[in-house]
Amino acid sequence: MRLHCTAFLFLALTQLNGVVAQETTPDITSPMARHTEYISDNKVLLTCNATGDPAPTYRWYRDGTIIVSDSITQVDSISGNLTIPSFTNREEGKYQCGAVNTVNPQTNPVAVSPVILVREVSLGANWPAIPIEPIQKNEGAYAQLLCTDVPESVPKAKFSWFLEATTGAKTQVEENDRIHIDDEGTLHFIYLEPSDQTNADLYKCAIYNNILDTIQLGSPKSVTVTAVATKPYMKPKLEYETKPAIFIRSQTAALECVYSGFPLPTVTWQKDGSTISASNKYAFDKDNRKLLIARLDENDEGMYTCVGSNTAGTVQVSIFLDVTSGPIWEKALSDQTVPAGRDAVFYCKSRAAAGEDAIPIPDWYINGNQIDIQNPPGNGKFLFSDAGKVLTVVGLQKPDDIQCFQCNVSNTVGYEFANGCLNIIEPIVITERPPPVQEIAKGDRVNLTVKATTDPGYTLRERWYFKNQTYENNLPPHVIFNTATQEAYIDTSGLTDAEFEEVIGTYYREMYHQYETYTVTIEVKPKGGDGGPAAAAFPWWWIVVVILLLILIIIILLICFCCKRKQDEGSYKVYATEVNAVYLDPDKDLEDHKFHNVARIEPEDDDTFTKKKRPANNAAYEVNDDETDSMDEYRNRRDHSEKPLLPQQPAQKD
């Protein structure tokens, strides 16, 4: 009887190990990325969260040094919170969270978070008192009002200008096509109008701190505009440009140029001789005087041209955009889970921006402690290669090698930090496997049983591959799985000849979980000389094909032979005696004389036309009595024929 297994299909496809909790390294879930915290209320609260088994405890570092709780800074090792009740600029710095747990008494892996830069928000209490700067210009002339003695602001302040009345009322100066404020805070009048005059009022520069939501005014200016009958025409003149234009990769660059002139100059931008249009990459601001370039990369570096034009002329200036960068990750550390007995490889590969100095050798840490890569610990356990960019941990052992690694790469522009923890699990071990090659006859049993074990923290699953088919949720044809004994087999005794043929082939049983895969191969083939279905499987159709090809070749040869015979019909047959007679040319004679109305050639009495002497000792020229009349007849016909149509050439002498 044929046995079908359907009720326990799921169990047939997977071998479920008892999944038990096991030790895992800490995994920090917050903070996930480097960022800056601006502190404005004198109180700091930094949080850190991590997972792991057992549950991790926490520590904090400032500028690479472990913080010890005191009256100024408190670290809660259970919640992960860091608190600074009375923050001052003394506590500014780079903060990192460390999460640690214990996988065994000798192993305490420590994961370290990205950097949090903590800065105190500030804005200079008072703008320095400076004298009022008077500016006197004619109508139509250019004027600039510099923003000087600007107080320091954290974060960087935004600039604006106000017109302050004697009453103290303040009116913000609105930018338009004639009035422009550049990124350094200078107020530009492309050309002056009488309405720009201050009289008793004053222009004042303003800085705005968006976190403190505070504005401070200073650097007072008075403007006097002398009216003229007609504004003079002036071609564009460059008054301001972004210089140096150095911006960091992945950020947005802002290039500015300001032209004075009358009439009002129009501004366009070019790169490599082509005019730039607004797009997802490029945007314009402040009447095209500012070009914004989003998501900078090295391809954006180069020369940009700002063109100012009016009816009086055209002027242009070239601005070189320098795209710089801190280290750019090519391959950073990440968490790994690796079976015991193998090697683990961690990468700390970065590059510099194009055209800049190479990145120095990385700094490496194990569980938060810096190590010397020239003399690493571990007696050969840790191997560094590729100029210190690759760390290989060899011959992994559980739990001794469960730990976390960190690396830091930096240059003059910035730095990058990465953390990667190493979890080690028991490998997949095959405890029972069938013979790799099995020759079977009808009625035999095919052994496909594979049993394996793996780490108790993971579920071992399996899938089959057979004849280019994947069996993930079912079994190959005619395979039976016994859930009680975990045996897999094929019983061929109940198979038809056709079904027997279906089970012949190579089976692949793949045992796997998310971190490892192990494949067992079983080749099943028929026994040699078996007269059953295997013999019936001989490809007789090949013999039929060969016979048909031979018949086709014979037919083609016969057709070629018949065509050749047809082509030869009607040709004059030249006897051997004629071919060997050096003084005869039968074909030419037939062409020249055509046997003109000759019924029979009578011999002449003239002895001159007697038989020519034949070469001696040549049997081909022996003429028997039966041939004499025929040969004489041919000679007489030849000698009495008409003259040739073309004059004969005299024979050449040797």
Side-chain angles (χ1 to χ4, degrees):
M1 293 178 62
R2 296 178 59 188
L3 179 61
H4 298 273
C5 180
T6 57
F8 302 97
L9 177 61
F10 178 76
L11 291 177
L13 297 175
T14 59
Q15 295 183 16
L16 301 177
N17 294 277
V19 179
V20 298
Q22 63 171 357
E23 295 82 2
T24 58
T25 57
D27 180 18
I28 295 177
T29 57
S30 174
M32 292 290 292
R34 182 176 65 191
H35 66 281
T36 301
E37 292 279 350
Y38 292 103
I39 310 303
S40 60
D41 58 0
N42 296 327
K43 183 177 181 180
V44 173
L45 175 61
L46 302 180
T47 62
C48 182
N49 295 289
T51 61
D53 190 5
T57 57
Y58 299 91
R59 63 181 66 167
W60 279 87
Y61 304 83
R62 182 173 66 232
D63 298 329
T65 302
I66 293 180
I67 298 173
V68 178
S69 292
D70 55 23
S71 59
I72 298 174
T73 307
Q74 291 96 44
V75 175
D76 189 330
S77 62
I78 303 302
S79 68
N81 293 341
L82 178 144
T83 306
I84 306 177
S86 300
F87 179 81
T88 66
N89 58 8
R90 177 184 58 187
E91 285 77 50
E92 288 186 330
K94 298 174 182 177
Y95 287 76
Q96 290 175 279
C97 169
V100 56
N101 65 2
T102 302
V103 297
N104 68 37
Q106 290 77 36
T107 305
N108 302 104
V110 180
V112 181
S113 75
V115 171
I116 303 174
L117 178 62
V118 179
R119 298 289 308 277
E120 181 185 25
V121 177
S122 64
L123 182 62
N126 293 298
W127 206 300
I130 58 176
I132 298 171
E133 179 183 352
I135 298 173
Q136 297 180 352
K137 297 279 185 175
N138 289 336
E139 179 185 357
Y142 165 77
Q144 67 174 6
L145 281 60
L146 298 177
C147 188
T148 58
D149 300 310
V150 180
E152 183 180 357
S153 174
V154 178
K156 184 179 179 181
K158 297 181 180 180
F159 291 99
S160 60
W161 281 80
F162 284 81
L163 187 62
E164 185 177 66
T166 55
T167 62
K170 301 174 181 65
T171 303
Q172 186 170 354
V173 176
E174 299 293 336
E175 293 184 81
N176 55 39
D177 58 357
R178 193 177 58 83
I179 300 174
H180 177 88
I181 301 173
D182 66 35
D183 286 342
E184 295 180 15
T186 300
L187 174 62
H188 300 266
F189 292 93
I190 306 304
Y191 60 85
L192 287 167
E193 294 281 9
S195 60
D196 299 324
Q197 183 164 297
T198 57
N199 298 319
D201 299 336
L202 293 174
Y203 285 107
K204 285 189 175 181
C205 180
I207 56 174
Y208 173 66
N209 186 304
N210 64 327
I211 295 179
L212 295 176
D213 195 22
T214 302
I215 294 178
Q216 287 199 18
L217 279 69
S219 190
K221 306 287 190 296
S222 67
V223 176
T224 301
V225 180
T226 303
V228 297
T230 303
K231 298 185 188 74
Y233 277 66
M234 293 180 292
K235 75 174 186 177
K237 178 184 176 184
L238 181 68
E239 304 292 353
Y240 174 81
E241 63 177 297
T242 303
K243 192 174 184 179
I246 302 175
F247 293 89
I248 296 177
R249 181 180 178 271
S250 79
Q251 296 183 354
T252 296
L255 304 182
E256 275 187 293
C257 71
V258 178
Y259 286 103
S260 63
F262 182 81
L264 186 72
T266 59
V267 177
T268 57
W269 290 85
Q270 299 175 354
K271 185 174 189 287
D272 299 329
S274 299
T275 300
I276 298 173
S277 301
S279 64
N280 292 333
K281 185 71 174 177
Y282 300 106
F284 300 99
D285 192 16
K286 300 187 176 183
D287 294 283
N288 281 17
R289 296 187 188 100
K290 179 181 283 190
L291 171 64
L292 302 174
I293 308 171
R295 303 176 302 280
L296 283 178
D297 60 33
E298 290 100 321
N299 295 326
D300 296 317
E301 185 171 276
M303 198 69 71
Y304 291 77
T305 303
C306 177
V307 182
S309 301
N310 64 9
T311 55
T314 298
V315 177
Q316 65 181 36
V317 63
S318 294
I319 301 173
F320 181 78
L321 172 60
D322 181 4
V323 179
T324 188
S325 177
I328 302 168
W329 280 125
E330 292 181 319
K331 194 169 185 179
L333 273 73
S334 60
D335 293 343
Q336 295 189 46
T337 299
V338 183
R342 298 188 182 180
D343 298 342
V345 181
F346 291 89
Y347 296 90
C348 186
K349 289 191 172 184
S350 64
R351 66 173 179 85
E356 298 190 353
D357 293 338
I359 302 298
I361 295 174
D363 294 323
W364 284 87
Y365 305 79
I366 297 179
N367 297 323
N369 300 311
Q370 188 170 2
I371 61 172
D372 180 6
I373 66 173
Q374 301 299 328
N375 186 27
N379 296 321
K381 172 65 69 173
F382 307 111
L383 303 178
F384 288 92
S385 59
D386 194 7
K389 298 177 183 178
V390 180
L391 165 63
T392 303
V393 186
V394 300
L396 298 180
Q397 297 180 3
K398 181 182 179 180
D400 296 346
D401 293 329
I402 296 176
Q403 51 201 314
C404 296
F405 303 90
Q406 298 83 33
C407 82
N408 188 84
V409 286
S410 61
N411 62 7
T412 57
V413 178
Y415 67 92
E416 291 291 343
F417 178 86
N419 177 88
C421 290
L422 174 60
N423 285 297
I424 302 173
I425 62 174
E426 297 298 336
I428 295 175
V429 177
I430 304 299
T431 59
E432 181 178 338
R433 68 173 71 212
V437 179
Q438 300 180 40
E439 294 187 356
I440 63 170
K442 186 73 174 296
D444 290 344
R445 176 168 168 156
V446 182
N447 181 6
L448 301 174
T449 299
V450 177
K451 297 180 182 180
T453 61
T454 191
D455 195 278
Y458 297 90
T459 297
L460 187 61
R461 303 184 181 276
E462 66 177 271
R463 53 180 162 248
W464 297 70
Y465 299 95
F466 180 63
K467 293 186 176 179
N468 298 321
Q469 295 291 323
T470 301
Y471 297 89
E472 189 84 40
N473 299 315
N474 54 356
L475 296 167
H478 313 295
V479 174
I480 300 169
F481 185 80
N482 188 317
T483 57
T485 62
Q486 298 291 301
E487 293 180 337
Y489 60 92
I490 300 173
D491 184 357
T492 66
S493 61
L495 301 182
T496 66
D497 290 349
E499 290 171 337
F500 183 86
E501 286 303 314
E502 292 177 359
V503 303
I504 300 301
T506 302
Y507 294 79
Y508 301 92
R509 289 195 67 179
E510 193 171 84
M511 321 299 289
Y512 71 97
H513 53 65
Q514 64 190 100
Y515 297 114
E516 188 180 14
T517 299
Y518 197 106
T519 303
V520 176
T521 303
I522 310 109
E523 182 182 1
V524 178
K525 55 186 181 180
K527 285 184 178 178
D530 182 65
F538 185 86
W540 295 104
W541 62 275
W542 274 105
I543 297 178
V544 176
V545 171
V546 172
I547 293 174
L548 291 176
L549 287 175
L550 291 174
I551 294 173
L552 180 60
I553 292 172
I554 293 172
I555 293 173
I556 293 173
L557 291 175
L558 289 174
I559 292 173
C560 293
F561 178 78
C562 293
C563 290
K564 180 65 177 174
R565 289 293 303 270
K566 185 69 176 176
Q567 184 179 0
D568 291 342
E569 287 183 0
S571 299
Y572 178 81
K573 182 173 180 62
V574 181
Y575 293 98
T577 53
E578 295 178 288
V579 173
N580 292 329
V582 294
Y583 58 93
L584 295 178
D585 189 353
D587 291 333
K588 187 174 185 306
D589 287 347
L590 291 173
E591 179 65 23
D592 292 342
H593 304 291
K594 308 292 184 181
F595 294 99
H596 299 290
N597 298 321
V598 176
R600 182 173 178 83
I601 303 299
E602 297 296 338
E604 297 287 344
D605 296 332
D606 191 349
D607 292 336
T608 306
F609 299 98
T610 57
K611 298 178 182 177
K612 293 182 180 180
K613 185 177 180 180
R614 295 185 297 273
N617 301 325
N618 189 338
Y621 291 91
E622 294 299 326
V623 181
N624 58 35
D625 294 336
D626 295 335
E627 293 178 326
T628 303
D629 293 340
S630 175
M631 293 298 293
D632 289 341
E633 177 181 342
Y634 179 77
R635 293 191 192 97
N636 291 333
R637 177 192 59 77
R638 180 175 180 273
D639 293 338
H640 291 82
S641 63
E642 296 176 354
K643 294 181 179 180
L645 297 177
L646 296 176
Q648 296 182 356
Q649 298 295 327
Q652 295 181 357
K653 296 181 180 181
D654 295 334

